[in-house]
Amino acid sequence: MAKMVRILVAKPGLDGHDRGAKYIARALKDAGYEVIYTGIRQTPESIVVTAIQEDVDFVGLSLLSGAHNELFPKVVELLREKDASDIIVFGGGVIPTEDIPFLKEKGIEAVFTHGTPIKEITDFIEKRLEKQ
Amino acid sequence: MSEYKTINEKKADWEESTLKNVLDRFPEQQEEFVTGSGHPVERLYLPSGISEEEYIGKIGFPGEYPYTRGVQPTMYRGRFWTMRQYAGFGTAEESNQRYKYLLEQGQTGLSIAFDLPTQIGYDSDDSMSEGEVGKVGVAIDSLKDMEILFEGIPLDKVSTSMTINAPAAILLAMYIAVAEKQGVTRDKLRGTIQNDILKEYIARGTYIFPPAPSMRLINNIFEFCSKEVPKWNTISISGYHIREAGSTAVQEIAFTIADGIEYVRNAIGVGLDVDSFAGRLSFFFNAHNDLLEEVAKYRAARRIWARVMKEKFNAKKEKSMMMRFHTQTGGSTLTAQQPDNNIVRVTIQTLAAVLGGTQSLHTNSRDEALALPSQESVMIALRTQQIVANESGVTSTIDPLAGSYCIEAITDRIASEAWDYIEKIETMGGMVKAIEKGYVQKEIQDSAYRYQRDVEDGSRIVVGVNKFTVEEEPQKGLLKVDPSLRTVQVEKLARVKGERDNVAVTASLKALKKGAESEDENLMPLILDAVKKYTTLGEISGILREVFGEFQESIVL
Amino acid sequence: MDLVDKVQSGSIRGIARTISLIENNSPQKEDIIDELYPHTGNAMVWGITGPPGAGKSTLVDCLIKRERKQGRRVAVIAIDPSSPYSGGAILGDRTRMQKHSTDEGVYIRSMASRGHLGGVSVATGDAVKILDAAGYDTIIIETIGVGQTEVEIIELCDIVLLVLVPGMGDEIQAMKAGVMEIGDIFVINKKDCDGADRLKTEVEYVLGIKNALTGEEPNPVLLASSKLDEGIDELVEAIHDYLKKAQTTGRFEEKRRDRIEKDVHKIFSSKVHELLNIHLDIENNLGEWISSILNGETAPYKLINSKLNRFVKENRII
């Protein structure tokens, strides 16, 4: 049996807008992946523990409150500390284009903002998996 | 000799000849045309043959039951809607500057945006506040911040709307305390607190406590204000966020009104007389792009609420049956691609809200799909309202689209479908039960999913996103919140805690805890007392968290 | 083996990776299970089942809290159905238990059914063994939700809690369908709601009949509210009492032997099938065989018996 792809969709910080995260979770399920959704108000610590326990291949972070420059890199950092930097992190939400280079530098491999078609995300996932 | 024919017969003739001639050669662009919410729209609407009696009963006159045409008899001929731009970011000092700027530019009311830690009852130095301080609104940790926020702004001259829910009692107390220091008495204060916890559970996520104690706080505020702050709107029952979460226009008003029913029933349940508080209930709706549907939506909402208050709750005062509402243009309709297009979208949405009879309006700025608005963008948004008010002519008459066959038909349809939802929720035992069952959330999510799939497969066009796209340079000039803000705020907080009378603070917290534990006590006076002693928002919320517990999200996927 | 060491030392990554290997039916699976096996047998395995909407996840959250208070390390396996169309799944049970995510003594793993009917996934049993070997004292399995076919939970657990809630309308139906056979302890959740007491009486009545027939002790029926965190202490006490009693009466050992027996049969079955598939090339020949049955050349038993007889002869088995 081929390895099933598992993806964690998480909402770090205090932002409670989950329409996007829920849509992505559902769409990724329709694309054939197993999606673990954490709910809102997760700390970076709890996201990382969850990612490791669930042995996910990807972590998708959704944030609309502007705290992405602080919280997204924190998740990547903690994954590194726990020897889990093979888990690929991507993000989405309300993120100005000019912040994306910084996030990529910090280890967030892709940022999918509002209006991105699902196909772009699944293409990214498939391509990344091929690389492994 | 001319044969007398009815309109419907003539319509059939038209369809078989004039229309058919064109359709045979040029088919229409789509198989079916639908509104923003997915409802079919007719090619042509005709006079419905409404009788005079029906007109008087269903449509009526502005300022009279059922208020379909508006809640004021002169509407914008008497006074334009309040132009109230939601603003707030960073420190109280920065926000204070932005408010003064907006007032100078002709804004007629203030609307305060608070950051997430403040909305969820955390001080800026709390570990949960990391990365969030001052980002989506102003950071308020204590009365000191509130004093800075309103420095130089006379609270007897402006009306202030505060978008605050779970800790609304605390922010209201702070506002009253600031006014007192300015020498302004409570009876002069005008404004609104959002204070709508039910929609937090449904769509917005900034709740703290579980439903029962949250409703208690709301009742405390209703009671306190009806006696002490009589000009204050104690709640803004909101549909905006429900629509942003993906609901249809029908669901937006249906769920909002169902929330309203729950609040009214709850307040009556603790012994308040409906006419003592209902006149101060206000609403908050969205304005999306489908102009016709939106105008019909507002009219339907007014009609339904009037009937609810009269028939379900036996309200006697006119004011108790009038639905007054604030509108905000739809954030989720803004695109990150080709941001200037958003100015056009906001204009259409403004027109919808004004033709729909809103009492106050916030217009979004073109760059808000990317960040909080820059000063330049926010001015354009304000000018949009001012141009519609002063140059478009639509304010010269009341409810201009009434009588339009299309508008009346859609108004009726929306009203009927919204009623169905409201009755269904009543059979479930009310909104709190419906939320617990996950019914409301699931309806919204299904609509949201359908909408998104339509955008993805191209059956719903979003200009600049799935059609008419261009290669773009990243947007410049976006607002950036200084990340060192948290440090600044934490230092400020430490200073406040050092300078205040900590013995008095501890005593006030103790008294608050005792009051919270006893279900009958009105907590407003206790909160006011604590706030005046510079007890922080986090400290007060912390005590309440201890006594009331925290709400656990129940995921419906 | 490196992974086995990691599991035994309690490494979260190690445990997680190992469970994934098992789930994906890796060739290393059998060796890993065999190596870990001697280290299993210490954990108590609780099963939580019941119709959707009964509040199972919230109940598990309460149970974790109590077990942790008593110093026990807890692992949870939460199972949700996979989409029959896409094969994917949304696993959302752990959202109600997330506050335990940073407690080092708690391990939560979400599993999708991956097409398997029975209420659990194929890999659940093995995942339990891994968590057992890793040192978790209590392992809680939350199944998809009970119906007539989702009963495999009995085979995996030392105790099964059946969670019911009032107002679901079809609770009587559930009882008639024989679902009552599954539970060792019955929990009437949402006890603050109308009808909870009535449901309890109804359940006790039906159980009374069953117990009269089998002569067994009456199963406990308890009222609780996972939302209000009430009735949970009593429930946990009842669970531990049940387990203790099962151990003293020998029922516990019996169940474990049953479990291993079922396991052995299952593995044999699948291995034999695998073996025959290779030797008889079932996959490639199946089309032909079906055609020959369809056009009357042969009949099912005749066909299969002849193939098997030939296999036995060719391999000089008898």
Side-chain angles (χ1 to χ4, degrees):
Chain A
M1 179 185 180
K3 186 181 185 296
M4 172 65 80
V5 177
R6 285 163 68 92
I7 305 174
L8 176 63
V9 172
K11 286 201 63 64
L14 301 176
D15 166 37
H17 297 98
D18 55 8
R19 175 180 177 176
K22 284 182 174 173
Y23 173 71
I24 298 289
R26 198 162 156 179
L28 290 177
K29 172 197 94 169
D30 286 342
Y33 306 121
E34 282 177 1
V35 181
I36 293 110
Y37 177 59
T38 61
I40 64 172
R41 279 193 225 176
Q42 300 296 301
T43 60
E45 290 78 8
S46 96
I47 292 173
V48 167
V49 169
T50 303
I52 296 175
Q53 285 181 351
E54 299 286 358
D55 196 30
V56 298
D57 304 285
F58 294 87
V59 172
L61 302 171
S62 157
L63 195 134
L64 284 77
S65 68
H68 49 274
N69 284 338
E70 289 88 348
L71 298 180
F72 285 12
K74 188 93 189 277
V75 171
V76 175
E77 196 190 302
L78 288 171
L79 281 171
R80 199 173 294 146
E81 269 173 38
K82 303 219 161 181
D83 264 323
S85 26
D86 53 304
I87 298 180
I88 301 151
V89 180
F90 64 89
V94 174
I95 296 171
T97 330
E98 59 188 57
D99 287 350
I100 295 180
F102 170 76
L103 291 174
K104 287 206 166 148
E105 200 196 317
K106 289 289 175 182
I108 289 92
E109 292 202 22
V111 177
F112 303 107
T113 49
H114 179 51
T116 308
I118 266 291
K119 190 164 187 306
E120 228 178 275
I121 304 178
T122 51
D123 281 348
F124 163 75
I125 291 173
E126 290 301 316
K127 223 175 267 164
R128 266 316 252 110
L129 286 170
E130 270 168 36
K131 255 198 226 163
Q132 310 262 77
Chain B
M1 176 174 114
S2 61
E3 206 189 272
Y4 175 76
K5 281 193 167 183
T6 65
I7 292 182
N8 279 324
E9 284 168 343
K10 290 290 273 179
K11 179 183 178 201
D13 285 348
W14 172 78
E15 279 171 347
E16 279 155 35
S17 55
T18 312
L19 177 66
K20 187 173 186 301
N21 285 338
V22 172
L23 276 183
D24 283 347
R25 288 177 293 135
F26 304 111
E28 290 180 328
Q29 292 192 66
Q30 280 163 227
E31 280 286 324
E32 202 193 33
F33 286 77
V34 296
T35 64
S37 303
H39 284 115
V41 183
E42 296 292 326
R43 172 180 296 118
L44 193 70
Y45 286 90
L46 296 168
S48 60
I50 189 174
S51 68
E52 299 218 345
E53 194 185 330
E54 259 186 283
Y55 173 85
I56 293 168
K58 254 191 351 188
I59 303 176
F61 292 84
E64 280 185 10
Y65 186 92
Y67 308 103
T68 309
R69 303 200 70 172
V71 294
Q72 289 118 354
T74 54
M75 284 305 291
Y76 307 129
R77 290 164 64 107
R79 202 178 65 154
F80 290 141
W81 61 91
T82 305
M83 300 185 191
R84 193 189 290 281
Q85 297 296 82
Y86 186 53
F89 54 90
T91 58
E93 286 86 350
E94 288 170 285
S95 298
N96 177 265
Q97 299 287 35
R98 178 60 73 89
Y99 298 152
K100 286 180 169 148
Y101 171 77
L102 287 168
L103 288 168
E104 272 163 38
Q105 290 303 321
Q107 176 167 298
T108 42
L110 289 178
S111 178
I112 318 294
F114 299 98
D115 70 4
L116 283 176
T118 304
Q119 292 188 53
I120 303 183
Y122 292 120
D123 286 338
S124 304
D125 59 2
D126 197 299
S127 60
M128 294 298 287
S129 304
E130 187 184 346
E132 311 268 15
V133 177
K135 292 281 172 67
V136 307
V138 66
I140 300 287
D141 292 325
S142 75
L143 182 59
K144 190 101 193 77
D145 290 316
M146 207 68 166
E147 286 162 3
I148 298 170
L149 193 67
F150 291 105
E151 196 278 310
I153 298 176
L155 296 188
D156 54 344
K157 299 251 170 23
V158 295
S159 89
T160 304
S161 170
M162 296 193 276
T163 299
I164 191 78
N165 294 277
I170 305 174
L171 274 306
L172 178 60
M174 287 186 184
Y175 190 84
I176 293 173
V178 171
E180 235 166 75
K181 290 202 173 186
Q182 283 185 4
V184 178
T185 50
R186 294 170 193 184
D187 57 311
K188 294 215 176 59
L189 297 178
R190 287 174 302 124
T192 309
I193 35 173
Q194 198 167 83
N195 196 25
D196 171 5
I197 199 68
L198 291 177
K199 65 98 169 49
E200 298 296 327
Y201 300 129
I202 299 170
R204 192 167 180 263
T206 56
Y207 43 73
I208 307 177
F209 323 111
S214 301
M215 294 297 245
R216 178 248 179 109
L217 279 169
I218 292 172
N219 288 333
N220 284 173
I221 293 173
F222 284 3
E223 198 185 17
F224 181 83
C225 288
S226 70
K227 298 194 196 104
E228 306 267 341
V229 202
K231 291 207 173 76
W232 196 264
N233 296 316
T234 47
I235 191 169
S236 180
I237 308 170
S238 307
Y240 175 82
H241 319 85
I242 292 173
R243 189 71 181 273
E244 291 297 282
S247 83
T248 62
V250 171
Q251 291 167 340
E252 180 191 338
I253 60 170
F255 295 153
T256 307
I257 291 174
D259 280 345
I261 292 174
E262 192 82 9
Y263 290 125
V264 172
R265 188 174 288 142
N266 211 276
I268 292 176
V270 296
L272 295 174
D273 171 57
V274 66
D275 287 310
S276 74
F277 65 88
R280 280 287 155 218
L281 304 176
S282 62
F283 288 79
F284 173 25
F285 290 120
N286 205 316
H288 271 215
N289 289 332
D290 190 316
L291 183 87
L292 304 173
E293 188 181 50
E294 293 299 287
V295 173
K297 174 191 86 180
Y298 304 120
R299 301 170 87 246
R302 277 193 295 266
R303 187 194 298 169
I304 297 175
W305 183 249
R307 192 176 147 195
V308 162
M309 289 311 281
K310 186 172 198 196
E311 294 176 16
K312 237 187 244 290
F313 296 113
N314 289 315
K316 297 282 180 298
K317 287 206 189 130
E318 292 271 319
K319 282 235 144 62
S320 301
M321 298 183 260
M322 283 183 203
M323 174 188 258
R324 295 168 304 119
F325 63 92
H326 168 76
T327 305
Q328 176 167 335
T329 60
S332 59
T333 65
L334 304 178
T335 60
Q337 298 84 336
Q338 300 173 40
D340 282 348
N341 292 345
N342 293 325
I343 298 173
V344 181
R345 295 188 174 99
V346 170
T347 308
I348 295 173
Q349 294 158 2
T350 301
L351 207 49
V354 169
L355 290 170
T358 190
Q359 277 57 58
S360 90
L361 180 64
H362 161 97
T363 36
N364 285 332
S365 301
R366 63 185 163 176
D367 47 4
E368 290 199 68
L370 298 164
L372 290 187
S374 65
Q375 190 151 293
E376 198 190 304
S377 300
V378 97
M379 191 173 81
I380 298 175
L382 184 57
R383 294 285 180 259
T384 306
Q385 294 196 47
Q386 290 160 336
I387 292 171
V388 169
N390 293 286
E391 298 181 17
S392 75
V394 302
T395 52
S396 306
T397 182
I398 300 170
D399 191 26
L401 299 189
S404 147
Y405 315 127
C406 166
I407 292 291
E408 295 300 351
I410 302 181
T411 303
D412 285 349
R413 184 190 24 86
I414 292 180
S416 147
E417 290 183 12
W419 259 122
D420 287 342
Y421 269 118
I422 291 169
E423 310 226 288
K424 180 146 194 207
I425 291 171
E426 287 286 88
T427 56
M428 288 185 182
M431 207 47 167
V432 172
K433 288 253 154 63
I435 294 171
E436 276 172 8
K437 285 202 168 81
Y439 169 70
V440 179
Q441 299 92 311
K442 180 146 201 318
E443 285 291 302
I444 296 171
Q445 259 159 250
D446 286 346
S447 302
Y449 192 71
R450 250 176 279 130
Y451 177 94
Q452 206 57 39
R453 291 253 73 129
D454 286 347
V455 171
E456 295 237 3
D457 69 29
S459 55
R460 181 188 289 276
I461 298 187
V462 181
V463 174
V465 172
N466 61 6
K467 202 168 178 181
F468 309 117
T469 56
V470 294
E471 275 296 314
E472 289 183 81
E473 287 292 313
Q475 180 76 347
K476 296 224 160 42
L478 294 173
L479 186 96
K480 288 237 105 187
V481 176
D482 190 346
S484 69
L485 183 77
R486 188 174 182 218
T487 328
V488 168
Q489 200 60 19
V490 169
E491 275 167 21
K492 224 198 261 172
L493 191 52
R495 238 176 293 137
V496 168
K497 285 187 173 171
E499 288 168 10
R500 66 186 184 182
D501 178 355
N502 281 293
V503 172
V505 165
T506 314
S508 71
L509 286 173
K510 199 157 164 218
L512 178 63
K513 183 155 188 234
K514 194 149 165 268
E517 283 163 352
S518 117
E519 285 176 12
D520 301 319
E521 189 149 354
N522 189 316
L523 294 177
M524 275 305 290
L526 292 170
I527 294 174
L528 243 170
D529 183 64
V531 148
K532 285 188 190 169
K533 301 195 163 90
Y534 295 93
T535 315
T536 70
L537 178 102
E539 285 167 339
I540 297 174
S541 306
I543 291 288
L544 295 177
R545 275 184 153 97
E546 251 182 70
V547 177
F548 297 150
E550 280 189 339
F551 178 73
Q552 272 277 53
E553 182 190 16
S554 149
I555 310 277
V556 177
L557 273 166
Chain C
M1 191 181 282
D2 190 34
L3 265 179
V4 169
D5 289 333
K6 287 215 174 95
V7 168
Q8 286 198 262
S9 66
S11 144
I12 303 295
R13 198 96 223 264
I15 296 169
R17 288 244 131 124
T18 312
I19 294 178
S20 297
L21 280 179
I22 306 302
E23 259 196 315
N24 294 314
N25 216 21
S26 136
Q28 300 171 285
K29 170 176 122 171
E30 294 179 6
D31 286 335
I32 293 176
I33 297 292
D34 280 346
E35 245 194 85
L36 288 173
Y37 206 87
H39 306 281
T40 63
N42 304 304
M44 288 292 162
V45 186
W46 305 0
I48 316 279
T49 191
K56 298 188 288 293
S57 299
T58 319
L59 186 63
V60 173
D61 179 56
C62 297
L63 295 174
I64 297 173
K65 191 164 130 192
R66 298 304 189 294
E67 288 294 282
R68 287 300 293 139
K69 228 197 221 153
Q70 300 203 6
R72 281 186 276 269
R73 303 187 59 210
V74 184
V76 177
I77 301 174
I79 304 158
D80 273 317
S82 298
S83 157
Y85 307 110
S86 73
I90 292 190
L91 310 173
D93 290 335
R94 78 176 289 153
T95 59
R96 290 173 188 75
M97 310 166 202
Q98 269 303 82
K99 62 157 126 27
H100 298 284
S101 60
T102 43
D103 179 347
E104 286 178 348
V106 178
Y107 185 107
I108 302 171
R109 175 79 175 218
S110 314
M111 287 182 117
S113 66
R114 296 196 184 172
H116 183 75
L117 305 169
V120 297
S121 84
V122 169
T124 305
D126 286 336
V128 168
K129 295 185 186 103
I130 295 167
L131 293 164
D132 192 349
Y136 289 92
D137 305 298
T138 304
I139 302 174
I140 303 178
I141 305 177
E142 184 191 331
T143 73
I144 291 174
V146 82
Q148 285 179 267
T149 51
E150 286 81 8
V151 298
E152 273 178 39
I153 189 76
I154 323 176
E155 296 169 19
L156 296 174
C157 300
D158 296 311
I159 181 174
V160 176
L161 270 60
L162 178 60
V163 186
L164 295 170
V165 282
M168 292 213 127
D170 52 4
E171 53 251 31
I172 315 278
Q173 294 308 316
M175 293 189 246
K176 287 184 188 165
V179 141
M180 300 292 276
E181 313 290 320
I182 306 174
D184 297 306
I185 293 184
F186 294 76
V187 184
I188 312 293
N189 203 8
K190 306 197 185 175
K191 73 179 180 56
D192 47 310
C193 290
D194 276 334
D197 290 306
R198 200 179 344 120
L199 179 57
K200 179 170 189 275
T201 317
E202 286 170 349
V203 171
E204 281 169 340
Y205 175 71
V206 175
L207 286 174
I209 302 177
K210 168 180 92 103
N211 293 139
L213 288 172
T214 60
E216 278 172 354
E217 285 247 7
N219 301 88
V221 183
L222 297 153
L223 287 165
S225 164
S226 51
K227 184 173 83 170
L228 303 171
D229 201 41
E230 284 173 12
I232 311 294
D233 290 324
E234 293 82 346
L235 174 58
V236 173
E237 212 185 301
I239 293 170
H240 287 290
D241 279 345
Y242 175 91
L243 290 169
K244 232 173 270 158
K245 198 185 284 166
Q247 282 176 304
T248 51
T249 59
R251 179 102 186 81
F252 189 79
E253 266 308 301
E254 224 182 283
K255 259 188 166 175
R256 291 219 160 165
R257 286 191 72 90
D258 279 345
R259 202 174 306 150
I260 297 178
E261 189 182 325
K262 285 211 172 69
D263 233 0
V264 167
H265 280 304
K266 213 188 280 178
I267 299 174
F268 254 130
S269 233
S270 103
K271 291 259 164 202
V272 167
H273 202 275
E274 223 180 282
L275 199 75
L276 287 174
N277 194 22
I278 298 171
H279 279 267
L280 297 175
D281 200 9
I282 298 179
E283 240 174 83
N284 289 324
N285 288 317
L286 195 57
E288 208 186 292
W289 296 347
I290 293 174
S291 303
S292 59
I293 292 173
L294 263 176
N295 61 28
E297 278 169 38
T298 179
Y301 284 106
K302 197 164 163 194
L303 172 79
I304 294 170
N305 281 333
S306 85
K307 300 287 172 201
L308 283 176
N309 284 334
R310 225 185 52 208
F311 172 76
V312 161
K313 273 212 191 89
E314 278 176 3
N315 292 282
R316 281 180 264 256
I317 294 172
I318 296 173

